[in-house]
Amino acid sequence: MTPWCAVKRSRALLAAPRLVGMSLPSRHILAAPAWPYANGPRHIGHVSGFALPCDMFSRYQRMAGSQVLMVSGTDEHGTPIQVQADTENLGPRELADRYNRVIADDLFGLDMSYDLFTRTTTRNHYAVVQEIFTGLYRNGYIFPRVTKGAISPSTGRTLPDRYIEGTCPICGYDSARGDQCDNCGNQLDPVDLINPRSKINGETPVFVDTEQFFLDLPAFTEVLGTWLQSKSGQWRPNVLKFSLNLLGDLQPRAITRDLDWGVPVPLDGWRDRPDKRIYVWFDAVIGYLSASIEWARRSGDPDAWRAYWQSGDAESYYFMGKDNIVFHSEIWPAMLLGYSGKGARNGAPGSLGELNLPSEVVSSEFLTMEGRKFSSSRAVVIYVRDFLARYDVDALRYYVAVAGPENQDTDFTWSEFVRRNNDELVATWGNLVNRSVSFAAKNIGAIPEPGQLTDVDQQILEHSRAAFGVIGGELGRSRFKAAITETMRTVAEANKYMSDQAPWKIRESDPDRMRTVLYVVLQLVDDAKTLLTPFLPRSSEKVYRMLGGSGAWSGMPEIRQVDEDDAPSYPVITGDYGTAARWESRPIVAGTPLAVPTPLFTKLDPSVVDEELARLEEEQG
């Protein structure tokens, strides 16, 4: 990894190396995948919800000409980090450093095209979190209250809400969390639970009086309701229905905790206290804004973030699993509204100015594995790094697009993964590429000059061109399964065209027609390569080169090491995504030299299924 630049508050930001894609066309899109928690490597259940859908969306939008800012990072505060650090005999910062790097490597391996993937333990993030807190406090949306805090009797340490389980007092569900019931969706406090217990060791927590600051969520009920209702027909129905149903039960929510690992409270009498910190749920969602500001400073234009957060034409799309809906459709919008002075108490915008609300909260359902819920503790899991050590990254990206949990819970099975890899990637798309490019390379050596096009030729070329509008429309609405299904239908049509026209049969009898057919097929392959780029960027790059392309086709991420004053350096993901890929059919150029290609994908032996199932059972002990 190469050094990047040092963050200097007073100078040098304008001299920092410029990040890519700084031209500003009229449409600005913030693409915001959820922040992975820095307590372990990512598994494929994680990335199927927050990561890969956002990358597919972002890659399409860039190809379509939008200026995209895709930012996120590791979420590194909270008691769970402290608990795991104790387990691993580390300090919380040491643990966060370790898993920040592990997670960055995982996401880099998936070809995630972040403009900036950073972390929440930076000075910049602390400053932005404290500014949002101060703005909300000044406008009257944060207030102190004495409440009951849950304490572990064996350690004396605060127990986070999500580390307490019990019976929901509303619906009777016996595994409700201390912050929310997954069965009925209602917001809870740990003290409300019937028979509460610690998830760490099963003990009954002790509840003691403690003064904390609360976010006054009920003050936003009316404005949130109006805003959510305006999204009817635009958002996924499950997200909108869930969010609207919670409006009537909004309660003030504690945003500080009795702990020493987190962002200090920026108020006199509080900022120097070692036992009070802003809690992780509040600071993590602010990360989208702080990462945007960090990106802008590192880009050489400290105000560049404003085009994505304050412009009237700006759009923002947040990607996550369904367990994160409430934070992105209710709590984060309430924080943005309150900071902008738009809640029931009105107020004035803080020093950053008014901030835009999300355009859409794109939530996926859950991915299970072989009929069981993903669980690292129970070894029902396959980690990203292990998956990529054995299989192609585009095979996973394809599976998530075509069979992932977009609208309903979906089960990952090894048999279905192998089938889709072999029947769809290898036998359909890979076969079309290999036989068309190989035949043209062996018989002509270059893209041929076409002769007179027949009605059949014209028709299939028109269908291929028209697919860009149809598939682009689906991708713009984050309908990835519909988009990839339509794309593979065009690939199947191209395969059928080549089989029907059979250029190998007319090689001797009608070489001019053979050249025309090959020209048409290679144009279809080139179009399909473009259509598949958001889903399969790495293999699409290979096809681009097979067809004689030079330079970069679809930008790939890189990891850089960056520095910060008086703090350890850390890795970030960034990249140059202003490459050749454009969302359009481009005429191929006759005479472009061709070489006989290597296979695009690896065919998997059916024995893979038994091997992976045996590995799963072995790891479970």
Side-chain angles (χ1 to χ4, degrees):
M1 287 182 276
T2 58
W4 196 4
C5 59
V7 176
K8 306 290 185 183
R9 288 185 181 274
S10 60
R11 68 184 194 282
L13 286 170
L14 293 177
R18 179 170 293 273
L19 286 184
V20 298
M22 290 303 300
S23 61
L24 297 176
S26 60
R27 192 170 183 229
H28 301 87
I29 293 179
L30 175 70
W35 289 57
Y37 202 55
N39 63 343
R42 298 301 89 183
H43 58 63
I44 64 172
H46 291 138
V47 300
S48 68
F50 80 90
L52 291 175
C54 186
D55 186 65
M56 295 168 190
F57 175 83
S58 298
R59 287 181 178 275
Y60 160 71
Q61 292 290 358
R62 291 190 188 104
M63 292 174 71
S66 298
Q67 179 68 15
V68 175
L69 177 60
M70 179 172 156
V71 291
S72 186
T74 43
D75 177 8
E76 300 182 355
H77 291 126
T79 306
I81 293 290
Q82 291 182 307
V83 170
Q84 186 154 344
D86 289 346
T87 301
E88 299 189 25
N89 198 28
L90 297 170
R93 176 67 192 227
E94 290 178 284
L95 185 90
D97 287 345
R98 171 188 292 180
Y99 287 120
N100 164 257
R101 187 171 298 275
V102 168
I103 293 169
D105 287 341
D106 288 343
L107 299 174
F108 169 76
L110 292 170
D111 296 333
M112 292 286 296
S113 58
Y114 289 102
D115 292 281
L116 182 65
F117 181 85
T118 179
R119 61 193 306 184
T120 58
T121 47
T122 66
R123 292 179 182 275
N124 169 74
H125 179 71
Y126 276 44
V128 176
V129 170
Q130 290 176 330
E131 167 59 23
I132 297 298
F133 181 101
T134 301
L136 286 164
Y137 181 80
R138 186 184 301 117
N139 285 337
Y141 297 112
I142 289 177
F143 61 90
R145 172 190 286 179
V146 174
T147 185
K148 294 291 186 182
I151 303 294
S152 166
S154 62
T155 67
R157 178 174 289 165
T158 300
L159 283 171
D161 296 349
R162 289 200 169 197
Y163 271 56
I164 302 172
E165 285 187 344
T167 300
C168 176
I170 299 172
C171 72
Y173 181 58
D174 63 2
S175 295
R177 299 194 310 264
D179 62 342
Q180 181 181 327
C181 176
D182 284 336
N183 185 56
C184 66
N186 282 287
Q187 180 184 344
L188 299 172
D189 284 319
V191 71
D192 298 330
L193 295 174
I194 300 168
N195 298 322
R197 59 192 178 274
S198 167
K199 290 181 63 177
I200 299 172
N201 55 20
E203 65 186 4
T204 301
V206 175
F207 292 95
V208 299
D209 286 342
T210 180
E211 185 178 24
Q212 305 294 352
F213 283 98
F214 282 71
L215 176 65
D216 189 5
L217 285 175
F220 301 100
T221 300
E222 184 175 348
V223 66
L224 281 175
T226 301
W227 172 67
L228 286 169
Q229 288 165 359
S230 74
K231 301 300 180 181
S232 179
Q234 302 175 39
W235 288 17
R236 291 180 178 178
N238 61 318
V239 178
L240 188 59
K241 181 179 179 181
F242 177 82
S243 303
L244 286 169
N245 285 345
L246 293 180
L247 278 178
D249 296 314
L250 290 181
Q251 300 295 325
R253 188 181 182 96
I255 60 175
T256 58
R257 289 291 191 278
D258 296 321
L259 72 166
D260 58 7
W261 177 240
V263 180
V265 180
L267 296 175
D268 291 341
W270 289 77
R271 60 171 52 88
D272 296 324
R273 289 186 61 170
D275 62 335
K276 297 285 185 181
R277 290 291 185 271
I278 295 173
Y279 199 50
V280 61
W281 70 261
F282 184 88
D283 94 79
V285 289
I286 297 173
Y288 300 113
L289 177 60
S290 68
S292 302
I293 291 173
E294 181 183 348
W295 164 83
R297 289 175 175 173
R298 294 191 181 280
S299 75
D301 180 2
D303 287 326
W305 65 273
R306 296 185 184 277
Y308 298 90
W309 286 88
Q310 295 175 325
S311 297
D313 74 298
E315 302 168 34
S316 54
Y317 297 84
Y318 293 76
F319 291 79
M320 74 222 57
K322 65 181 178 181
D323 55 337
N324 259 328
I325 292 176
V326 66
F327 292 99
H328 293 81
S329 69
E330 307 239 353
I331 295 174
W332 178 226
M335 292 162 62
L336 291 167
L337 286 163
Y339 182 82
S340 301
K342 294 183 178 179
R345 295 185 180 83
N346 297 314
S351 63
L352 296 175
E354 290 191 20
L355 301 170
N356 291 347
L357 295 178
S359 299
E360 185 172 358
V361 174
V362 186
S363 168
S364 297
E365 302 297 296
F366 289 146
L367 186 72
T368 56
M369 184 177 182
E370 297 291 348
R372 287 168 284 185
K373 183 179 180 180
F374 274 94
S375 171
S376 298
S377 62
R378 297 183 179 93
V380 183
V381 68
I382 178 167
Y383 292 111
V384 168
R385 59 186 176 182
D386 295 332
F387 192 103
L388 297 182
R390 300 197 287 273
Y391 309 106
D392 294 338
V393 60
D394 278 358
L396 176 59
R397 291 178 65 104
Y398 179 76
Y399 188 95
V400 169
V402 76
E406 183 177 312
N407 293 311
Q408 60 184 15
D409 290 352
T410 304
D411 192 38
F412 175 92
T413 66
W414 285 108
S415 59
E416 182 68 356
F417 170 72
V418 170
R419 184 191 72 79
R420 288 192 179 276
N421 179 83
N422 291 351
D423 294 355
E424 296 170 16
L425 286 183
V426 176
T428 303
W429 173 226
N431 179 56
L432 173 65
V433 172
N434 187 67
R435 66 177 182 152
S436 60
V437 179
S438 293
F439 189 85
K442 291 176 181 178
N443 290 276
I444 302 171
I447 295 176
E449 187 74 41
Q452 184 68 37
L453 298 180
T454 67
D455 288 345
V456 171
D457 300 337
Q458 298 276 18
Q459 185 179 53
I460 195 163
L461 287 171
E462 178 55 36
H463 283 177
S464 185
R465 287 190 292 268
F468 284 87
V470 175
I471 295 165
E474 301 289 10
L475 280 169
R477 295 191 295 274
S478 298
R479 297 179 58 180
F480 305 106
K481 184 174 183 178
I484 191 71
T485 300
E486 181 64 18
T487 302
M488 293 303 287
R489 188 186 68 79
T490 67
V491 171
E493 285 185 349
N495 262 316
K496 184 177 186 302
Y497 169 85
M498 187 171 185
S499 296
D500 290 346
Q501 299 302 312
W504 51 88
K505 291 183 179 179
I506 55 175
R507 179 171 45 191
E508 304 297 334
S509 61
D510 195 348
D512 289 341
R513 177 60 187 162
M514 178 196 72
R515 288 182 172 84
T516 301
V517 169
L518 286 176
Y519 176 87
V520 171
V521 171
L522 292 176
Q523 180 67 65
L524 298 176
V525 168
D526 191 71
D527 287 353
K529 166 266 299 175
T530 303
L531 293 168
L532 283 164
T533 296
F535 310 103
L536 313 176
R538 193 173 298 190
S539 54
S540 294
E541 181 88 26
K542 293 179 182 177
V543 177
Y544 173 70
R545 298 197 179 283
M546 289 178 191
L547 294 174
S550 60
W553 168 247
S554 182
M556 293 296 182
E558 61 180 289
I559 295 180
R560 298 182 187 176
Q561 196 75 12
V562 299
D563 298 311
E564 191 174 46
D565 283 347
D566 304 320
S569 63
Y570 59 97
V572 301
I573 303 175
T574 184
D576 182 352
Y577 311 118
T579 49
R582 295 293 179 269
W583 192 256
E584 61 187 6
S585 174
R586 291 181 174 179
I588 56 176
V589 179
T592 303
L594 297 174
V596 176
T598 56
L600 195 57
F601 303 104
T602 301
K603 185 174 182 178
L604 300 176
D605 191 275
S607 63
V608 163
V609 177
D610 291 336
E611 291 170 3
E612 290 292 353
L613 291 176
R615 184 179 286 113
L616 178 62
E617 295 304 320
E618 181 181 349
E619 290 174 350
Q620 290 182 287

